[in-house]
Amino acid sequence: MAPLVEGQARPIRLADIAKAAGVSHGTASNVFSRPEIVRAEVRERVKAVAEAMGYAGPDPKGRLLRAGKVNAIGVGTTEPLSYFFEDPFARVMMAGISEACDATGAGIALVSAANQEKLAWNIQSALVDGFILFCIEGGSRLVDLTRERRLPFVALELGFHDETISAIGVDNVAGGRLAARHLAELGHRRFAVLSLTLGEDRTGFVTPEMVRSAVYTGTRDRLAGYFEELSRFGVDTTQIPIFETENEQKSTRAGLEAIFSGGERPTAILAMSDRMAMIAIEWLTARGIKVPQDVSVVGFDGVPDGALCDPPLTTIAQPITEIGRRAARMILDFDGTVRRETMGVELVVRASTGPAPKG
């Protein structure tokens, strides 16, 4: 809160400083905004008066809002704030966003909340020119709240089709096909899927009806790619267990426990994120199940961490950094046009996949 003028009920204003220092309002303003054009003795006198009166300078928010642009991008998610730092996909995406912002001198505001009420407040109060949205769980709510701000926004990993929303994503069907074909050509016929979110607020085994009614088409498209390709190799996809996770350790480990406690174990795991795939490798190794000799694992993302795990992870790599750069440029160079881009993916073969075990 700005200091109050003694004996008055209003905050100190720049005009009060100018009057007390015996200078014009314009000169006082220049002391704080363009000090290099003010004579040193005048500049020091105005600053001394301001300090004595407890005035720190004009409110930067007011100045930025008057200019109509704050030169900052909000990056929003319904995940906890720690998601930006803990999730390997998010870290790489943020590197791309940061690179584009650094090139123009723009700032970044991270917008997150653990509940809907706080999320609404954080979206409404963020001092930004537009938003990049990590549309994961709760993505539809995030989009709705951002629409209310009437600022430009672009969705990443958009979980539902809406042609009125700018979005950047990848060809999830093609990625699913690449992963499944790689494993099938290695001779695998028994599979399990560790799935990203299909709807909201649930984990566990997924039924065909749940897949058909999925809210998040990105997840559904990856499943479609897996199953279309596996069907070509004669695999009965109705018998493949699908476990929906929250893309973190607890639910992923629960899925692995459930999948491997059944009858015939899979020889290959299709994980919809590198994070889940790396958790799976750790879980399998801890139980004496060798990767890839006993079970092959394929991820999806292409995060740097995957090349460093033991064994190094075979994955479907998407251009995460470039997606981040393009999303940032969409906001920084916004011209009112809705833009939707689908980028390609590639199979990166490493040591977490191998021939199906015999017998």
Side-chain angles (χ1 to χ4, degrees), residues 42-69:
V42 175
R43 186 168 64 238
E44 294 306 317
R45 184 169 80 249
V46 172
K47 286 186 173 181
V49 169
E51 184 176 355
M53 297 178 69
Y55 180 75
D59 184 351
K61 291 184 291 186
R63 184 172 66 250
L64 290 169
L65 290 172
R66 285 192 296 274
K69 190 174 180 64

PDB file of all heavy atoms in Angstrom, residues 42-69:
ATOM      1  N   VAL A  42      18.975  18.013  -9.219  1.00  0.00           N
ATOM      2  CA  VAL A  42      17.514  17.962  -9.146  1.00  0.00           C
ATOM      3  C   VAL A  42      17.049  16.541  -8.844  1.00  0.00           C
ATOM      4  O   VAL A  42      16.151  16.311  -8.035  1.00  0.00           O
ATOM      5  CB  VAL A  42      16.892  18.475 -10.465  1.00  0.00           C
ATOM      6  CG1 VAL A  42      15.365  18.300 -10.440  1.00  0.00           C
ATOM      7  CG2 VAL A  42      17.268  19.923 -10.715  1.00  0.00           C
ATOM      8  N   ARG A  43      17.689  15.591  -9.520  1.00  0.00           N
ATOM      9  CA  ARG A  43      17.340  14.185  -9.317  1.00  0.00           C
ATOM     10  C   ARG A  43      17.531  13.774  -7.861  1.00  0.00           C
ATOM     11  O   ARG A  43      16.662  13.134  -7.259  1.00  0.00           O
ATOM     12  CB  ARG A  43      18.209  13.309 -10.235  1.00  0.00           C
ATOM     13  CG  ARG A  43      17.838  11.833 -10.235  1.00  0.00           C
ATOM     14  CD  ARG A  43      18.533  11.101 -11.356  1.00  0.00           C
ATOM     15  NE  ARG A  43      19.976  11.092 -11.201  1.00  0.00           N
ATOM     16  CZ  ARG A  43      20.844  11.562 -12.085  1.00  0.00           C
ATOM     17  NH1 ARG A  43      20.400  12.096 -13.209  1.00  0.00           N
ATOM     18  NH2 ARG A  43      22.147  11.516 -11.874  1.00  0.00           N
ATOM     19  N   GLU A  44      18.660  14.181  -7.263  1.00  0.00           N
ATOM     20  CA  GLU A  44      18.924  13.807  -5.878  1.00  0.00           C
ATOM     21  C   GLU A  44      17.958  14.492  -4.916  1.00  0.00           C
ATOM     22  O   GLU A  44      17.540  13.904  -3.921  1.00  0.00           O
ATOM     23  CB  GLU A  44      20.373  14.160  -5.517  1.00  0.00           C
ATOM     24  CG  GLU A  44      21.415  13.353  -6.277  1.00  0.00           C
ATOM     25  CD  GLU A  44      21.177  11.859  -6.142  1.00  0.00           C
ATOM     26  OE1 GLU A  44      20.877  11.389  -5.021  1.00  0.00           O
ATOM     27  OE2 GLU A  44      21.268  11.150  -7.170  1.00  0.00           O
ATOM     28  N   ARG A  45      17.592  15.755  -5.221  1.00  0.00           N
ATOM     29  CA  ARG A  45      16.643  16.465  -4.348  1.00  0.00           C
ATOM     30  C   ARG A  45      15.278  15.798  -4.350  1.00  0.00           C
ATOM     31  O   ARG A  45      14.666  15.575  -3.296  1.00  0.00           O
ATOM     32  CB  ARG A  45      16.520  17.930  -4.789  1.00  0.00           C
ATOM     33  CG  ARG A  45      15.609  18.744  -3.863  1.00  0.00           C
ATOM     34  CD  ARG A  45      15.688  20.224  -4.121  1.00  0.00           C
ATOM     35  NE  ARG A  45      14.902  20.645  -5.270  1.00  0.00           N
ATOM     36  CZ  ARG A  45      15.406  21.092  -6.416  1.00  0.00           C
ATOM     37  NH1 ARG A  45      16.726  21.167  -6.587  1.00  0.00           N
ATOM     38  NH2 ARG A  45      14.612  21.460  -7.398  1.00  0.00           N
ATOM     39  N   VAL A  46      14.806  15.412  -5.548  1.00  0.00           N
ATOM     40  CA  VAL A  46      13.492  14.755  -5.646  1.00  0.00           C
ATOM     41  C   VAL A  46      13.511  13.401  -4.937  1.00  0.00           C
ATOM     42  O   VAL A  46      12.579  13.053  -4.201  1.00  0.00           O
ATOM     43  CB  VAL A  46      13.083  14.594  -7.120  1.00  0.00           C
ATOM     44  CG1 VAL A  46      11.821  13.736  -7.244  1.00  0.00           C
ATOM     45  CG2 VAL A  46      12.859  15.955  -7.769  1.00  0.00           C
ATOM     46  N   LYS A  47      14.589  12.647  -5.124  1.00  0.00           N
ATOM     47  CA  LYS A  47      14.680  11.338  -4.466  1.00  0.00           C
ATOM     48  C   LYS A  47      14.736  11.469  -2.959  1.00  0.00           C
ATOM     49  O   LYS A  47      14.157  10.662  -2.219  1.00  0.00           O
ATOM     50  CB  LYS A  47      15.906  10.574  -4.976  1.00  0.00           C
ATOM     51  CG  LYS A  47      15.746  10.018  -6.380  1.00  0.00           C
ATOM     52  CD  LYS A  47      16.945   9.151  -6.756  1.00  0.00           C
ATOM     53  CE  LYS A  47      16.722   8.463  -8.092  1.00  0.00           C
ATOM     54  NZ  LYS A  47      17.869   7.601  -8.478  1.00  0.00           N
ATOM     55  N   ALA A  48      15.434  12.498  -2.464  1.00  0.00           N
ATOM     56  CA  ALA A  48      15.521  12.712  -1.009  1.00  0.00           C
ATOM     57  C   ALA A  48      14.153  13.049  -0.436  1.00  0.00           C
ATOM     58  O   ALA A  48      13.768  12.543   0.637  1.00  0.00           O
ATOM     59  CB  ALA A  48      16.518  13.824  -0.715  1.00  0.00           C
ATOM     60  N   VAL A  49      13.377  13.885  -1.144  1.00  0.00           N
ATOM     61  CA  VAL A  49      12.025  14.228  -0.689  1.00  0.00           C
ATOM     62  C   VAL A  49      11.143  12.986  -0.705  1.00  0.00           C
ATOM     63  O   VAL A  49      10.381  12.728   0.239  1.00  0.00           O
ATOM     64  CB  VAL A  49      11.426  15.340  -1.576  1.00  0.00           C
ATOM     65  CG1 VAL A  49       9.934  15.513  -1.285  1.00  0.00           C
ATOM     66  CG2 VAL A  49      12.164  16.651  -1.361  1.00  0.00           C
ATOM     67  N   ALA A  50      11.253  12.198  -1.787  1.00  0.00           N
ATOM     68  CA  ALA A  50      10.439  10.983  -1.900  1.00  0.00           C
ATOM     69  C   ALA A  50      10.749  10.013  -0.767  1.00  0.00           C
ATOM     70  O   ALA A  50       9.838   9.430  -0.154  1.00  0.00           O
ATOM     71  CB  ALA A  50      10.680  10.318  -3.253  1.00  0.00           C
ATOM     72  N   GLU A  51      12.033   9.849  -0.459  1.00  0.00           N
ATOM     73  CA  GLU A  51      12.412   8.934   0.616  1.00  0.00           C
ATOM     74  C   GLU A  51      11.899   9.419   1.955  1.00  0.00           C
ATOM     75  O   GLU A  51      11.400   8.629   2.773  1.00  0.00           O
ATOM     76  CB  GLU A  51      13.926   8.784   0.651  1.00  0.00           C
ATOM     77  CG  GLU A  51      14.410   7.784   1.678  1.00  0.00           C
ATOM     78  CD  GLU A  51      15.910   7.585   1.640  1.00  0.00           C
ATOM     79  OE1 GLU A  51      16.573   8.153   0.745  1.00  0.00           O
ATOM     80  OE2 GLU A  51      16.420   6.855   2.513  1.00  0.00           O
ATOM     81  N   ALA A  52      12.011  10.726   2.191  1.00  0.00           N
ATOM     82  CA  ALA A  52      11.540  11.290   3.458  1.00  0.00           C
ATOM     83  C   ALA A  52      10.034  11.134   3.624  1.00  0.00           C
ATOM     84  O   ALA A  52       9.531  10.954   4.745  1.00  0.00           O
ATOM     85  CB  ALA A  52      11.928  12.774   3.538  1.00  0.00           C
ATOM     86  N   MET A  53       9.307  11.171   2.513  1.00  0.00           N
ATOM     87  CA  MET A  53       7.848  11.050   2.569  1.00  0.00           C
ATOM     88  C   MET A  53       7.373   9.598   2.431  1.00  0.00           C
ATOM     89  O   MET A  53       6.179   9.329   2.449  1.00  0.00           O
ATOM     90  CB  MET A  53       7.212  11.919   1.476  1.00  0.00           C
ATOM     91  CG  MET A  53       7.486  13.414   1.655  1.00  0.00           C
ATOM     92  SD  MET A  53       6.793  14.438   0.343  1.00  0.00           S
ATOM     93  CE  MET A  53       5.033  14.276   0.663  1.00  0.00           C
ATOM     94  N   GLY A  54       8.345   8.663   2.262  1.00  0.00           N
ATOM     95  CA  GLY A  54       7.973   7.252   2.168  1.00  0.00           C
ATOM     96  C   GLY A  54       7.386   6.862   0.840  1.00  0.00           C
ATOM     97  O   GLY A  54       6.604   5.907   0.742  1.00  0.00           O
ATOM     98  N   TYR A  55       7.808   7.551  -0.238  1.00  0.00           N
ATOM     99  CA  TYR A  55       7.277   7.268  -1.577  1.00  0.00           C
ATOM    100  C   TYR A  55       8.323   6.512  -2.376  1.00  0.00           C
ATOM    101  O   TYR A  55       9.443   6.995  -2.583  1.00  0.00           O
ATOM    102  CB  TYR A  55       6.931   8.584  -2.271  1.00  0.00           C
ATOM    103  CG  TYR A  55       6.372   8.448  -3.665  1.00  0.00           C
ATOM    104  CD1 TYR A  55       5.061   8.026  -3.869  1.00  0.00           C
ATOM    105  CD2 TYR A  55       7.159   8.762  -4.780  1.00  0.00           C
ATOM    106  CE1 TYR A  55       4.543   7.913  -5.145  1.00  0.00           C
ATOM    107  CE2 TYR A  55       6.638   8.657  -6.055  1.00  0.00           C
ATOM    108  CZ  TYR A  55       5.335   8.230  -6.241  1.00  0.00           C
ATOM    109  OH  TYR A  55       4.827   8.130  -7.507  1.00  0.00           O
ATOM    110  N   ALA A  56       7.988   5.304  -2.840  1.00  0.00           N
ATOM    111  CA  ALA A  56       8.953   4.448  -3.538  1.00  0.00           C
ATOM    112  C   ALA A  56       8.962   4.643  -5.044  1.00  0.00           C
ATOM    113  O   ALA A  56       9.829   4.116  -5.733  1.00  0.00           O
ATOM    114  CB  ALA A  56       8.669   2.986  -3.226  1.00  0.00           C
ATOM    115  N   GLY A  57       7.998   5.362  -5.578  1.00  0.00           N
ATOM    116  CA  GLY A  57       7.923   5.565  -7.018  1.00  0.00           C
ATOM    117  C   GLY A  57       6.545   5.231  -7.548  1.00  0.00           C
ATOM    118  O   GLY A  57       5.701   4.673  -6.836  1.00  0.00           O
ATOM    119  N   PRO A  58       6.278   5.561  -8.812  1.00  0.00           N
ATOM    120  CA  PRO A  58       4.968   5.273  -9.405  1.00  0.00           C
ATOM    121  C   PRO A  58       4.683   3.777  -9.399  1.00  0.00           C
ATOM    122  O   PRO A  58       5.605   2.967  -9.498  1.00  0.00           O
ATOM    123  CB  PRO A  58       5.094   5.808 -10.835  1.00  0.00           C
ATOM    124  CG  PRO A  58       6.252   6.763 -10.799  1.00  0.00           C
ATOM    125  CD  PRO A  58       7.185   6.244  -9.755  1.00  0.00           C
ATOM    126  N   ASP A  59       3.420   3.410  -9.275  1.00  0.00           N
ATOM    127  CA  ASP A  59       3.019   2.011  -9.304  1.00  0.00           C
ATOM    128  C   ASP A  59       3.286   1.449 -10.702  1.00  0.00           C
ATOM    129  O   ASP A  59       2.685   1.910 -11.678  1.00  0.00           O
ATOM    130  CB  ASP A  59       1.524   1.909  -8.970  1.00  0.00           C
ATOM    131  CG  ASP A  59       1.038   0.467  -8.879  1.00  0.00           C
ATOM    132  OD1 ASP A  59       1.822  -0.434  -9.243  1.00  0.00           O
ATOM    133  OD2 ASP A  59      -0.106   0.256  -8.452  1.00  0.00           O
ATOM    134  N   PRO A  60       4.189   0.466 -10.821  1.00  0.00           N
ATOM    135  CA  PRO A  60       4.490  -0.062 -12.162  1.00  0.00           C
ATOM    136  C   PRO A  60       3.284  -0.690 -12.822  1.00  0.00           C
ATOM    137  O   PRO A  60       3.162  -0.689 -14.043  1.00  0.00           O
ATOM    138  CB  PRO A  60       5.589  -1.104 -11.895  1.00  0.00           C
ATOM    139  CG  PRO A  60       5.444  -1.464 -10.444  1.00  0.00           C
ATOM    140  CD  PRO A  60       4.955  -0.212  -9.778  1.00  0.00           C
ATOM    141  N   LYS A  61       2.358  -1.253 -12.026  1.00  0.00           N
ATOM    142  CA  LYS A  61       1.168  -1.854 -12.623  1.00  0.00           C
ATOM    143  C   LYS A  61       0.335  -0.805 -13.354  1.00  0.00           C
ATOM    144  O   LYS A  61      -0.160  -1.035 -14.451  1.00  0.00           O
ATOM    145  CB  LYS A  61       0.328  -2.545 -11.543  1.00  0.00           C
ATOM    146  CG  LYS A  61       0.973  -3.780 -10.955  1.00  0.00           C
ATOM    147  CD  LYS A  61       0.070  -4.472  -9.964  1.00  0.00           C
ATOM    148  CE  LYS A  61      -0.102  -3.643  -8.703  1.00  0.00           C
ATOM    149  NZ  LYS A  61      -0.875  -4.361  -7.663  1.00  0.00           N
ATOM    150  N   GLY A  62       0.185   0.345 -12.737  1.00  0.00           N
ATOM    151  CA  GLY A  62      -0.588   1.400 -13.376  1.00  0.00           C
ATOM    152  C   GLY A  62       0.051   1.865 -14.666  1.00  0.00           C
ATOM    153  O   GLY A  62      -0.614   2.058 -15.676  1.00  0.00           O
ATOM    154  N   ARG A  63       1.384   2.021 -14.642  1.00  0.00           N
ATOM    155  CA  ARG A  63       2.091   2.460 -15.842  1.00  0.00           C
ATOM    156  C   ARG A  63       1.958   1.448 -16.968  1.00  0.00           C
ATOM    157  O   ARG A  63       1.710   1.793 -18.120  1.00  0.00           O
ATOM    158  CB  ARG A  63       3.566   2.691 -15.502  1.00  0.00           C
ATOM    159  CG  ARG A  63       4.368   3.256 -16.672  1.00  0.00           C
ATOM    160  CD  ARG A  63       5.775   3.672 -16.262  1.00  0.00           C
ATOM    161  NE  ARG A  63       6.597   2.542 -15.858  1.00  0.00           N
ATOM    162  CZ  ARG A  63       6.987   2.307 -14.623  1.00  0.00           C
ATOM    163  NH1 ARG A  63       6.593   3.103 -13.633  1.00  0.00           N
ATOM    164  NH2 ARG A  63       7.748   1.256 -14.338  1.00  0.00           N
ATOM    165  N   LEU A  64       2.100   0.157 -16.620  1.00  0.00           N
ATOM    166  CA  LEU A  64       2.003  -0.877 -17.629  1.00  0.00           C
ATOM    167  C   LEU A  64       0.598  -0.984 -18.202  1.00  0.00           C
ATOM    168  O   LEU A  64       0.410  -1.157 -19.396  1.00  0.00           O
ATOM    169  CB  LEU A  64       2.430  -2.216 -17.030  1.00  0.00           C
ATOM    170  CG  LEU A  64       3.925  -2.346 -16.707  1.00  0.00           C
ATOM    171  CD1 LEU A  64       4.173  -3.591 -15.867  1.00  0.00           C
ATOM    172  CD2 LEU A  64       4.758  -2.368 -17.964  1.00  0.00           C
ATOM    173  N   LEU A  65      -0.389  -0.879 -17.325  1.00  0.00           N
ATOM    174  CA  LEU A  65      -1.768  -0.983 -17.796  1.00  0.00           C
ATOM    175  C   LEU A  65      -2.138   0.196 -18.678  1.00  0.00           C
ATOM    176  O   LEU A  65      -2.879   0.051 -19.643  1.00  0.00           O
ATOM    177  CB  LEU A  65      -2.723  -1.088 -16.599  1.00  0.00           C
ATOM    178  CG  LEU A  65      -2.639  -2.419 -15.835  1.00  0.00           C
ATOM    179  CD1 LEU A  65      -3.483  -2.345 -14.564  1.00  0.00           C
ATOM    180  CD2 LEU A  65      -3.095  -3.569 -16.705  1.00  0.00           C
ATOM    181  N   ARG A  66      -1.630   1.382 -18.357  1.00  0.00           N
ATOM    182  CA  ARG A  66      -1.891   2.544 -19.214  1.00  0.00           C
ATOM    183  C   ARG A  66      -1.269   2.352 -20.587  1.00  0.00           C
ATOM    184  O   ARG A  66      -1.804   2.810 -21.589  1.00  0.00           O
ATOM    185  CB  ARG A  66      -1.352   3.814 -18.556  1.00  0.00           C
ATOM    186  CG  ARG A  66      -2.186   4.323 -17.396  1.00  0.00           C
ATOM    187  CD  ARG A  66      -1.775   5.725 -16.987  1.00  0.00           C
ATOM    188  NE  ARG A  66      -0.423   5.779 -16.475  1.00  0.00           N
ATOM    189  CZ  ARG A  66      -0.073   5.549 -15.221  1.00  0.00           C
ATOM    190  NH1 ARG A  66      -1.010   5.237 -14.324  1.00  0.00           N
ATOM    191  NH2 ARG A  66       1.180   5.625 -14.830  1.00  0.00           N
ATOM    192  N   ALA A  67      -0.134   1.666 -20.627  1.00  0.00           N
ATOM    193  CA  ALA A  67       0.526   1.406 -21.906  1.00  0.00           C
ATOM    194  C   ALA A  67      -0.200   0.336 -22.711  1.00  0.00           C
ATOM    195  O   ALA A  67       0.022   0.193 -23.896  1.00  0.00           O
ATOM    196  CB  ALA A  67       1.968   0.970 -21.656  1.00  0.00           C
ATOM    197  N   GLY A  68      -1.071  -0.444 -22.047  1.00  0.00           N
ATOM    198  CA  GLY A  68      -1.844  -1.471 -22.736  1.00  0.00           C
ATOM    199  C   GLY A  68      -1.099  -2.764 -22.943  1.00  0.00           C
ATOM    200  O   GLY A  68      -1.607  -3.684 -23.574  1.00  0.00           O
ATOM    201  N   LYS A  69       0.129  -2.873 -22.441  1.00  0.00           N
ATOM    202  CA  LYS A  69       0.912  -4.095 -22.606  1.00  0.00           C
ATOM    203  C   LYS A  69       1.880  -4.202 -21.436  1.00  0.00           C
ATOM    204  O   LYS A  69       2.531  -3.221 -21.074  1.00  0.00           O
ATOM    205  CB  LYS A  69       1.679  -4.058 -23.929  1.00  0.00           C
ATOM    206  CG  LYS A  69       2.327  -5.384 -24.317  1.00  0.00           C
ATOM    207  CD  LYS A  69       2.927  -5.277 -25.702  1.00  0.00           C
ATOM    208  CE  LYS A  69       3.590  -6.574 -26.150  1.00  0.00           C
ATOM    209  NZ  LYS A  69       2.625  -7.680 -26.296  1.00  0.00           N
TER     210      LYS A  69
END
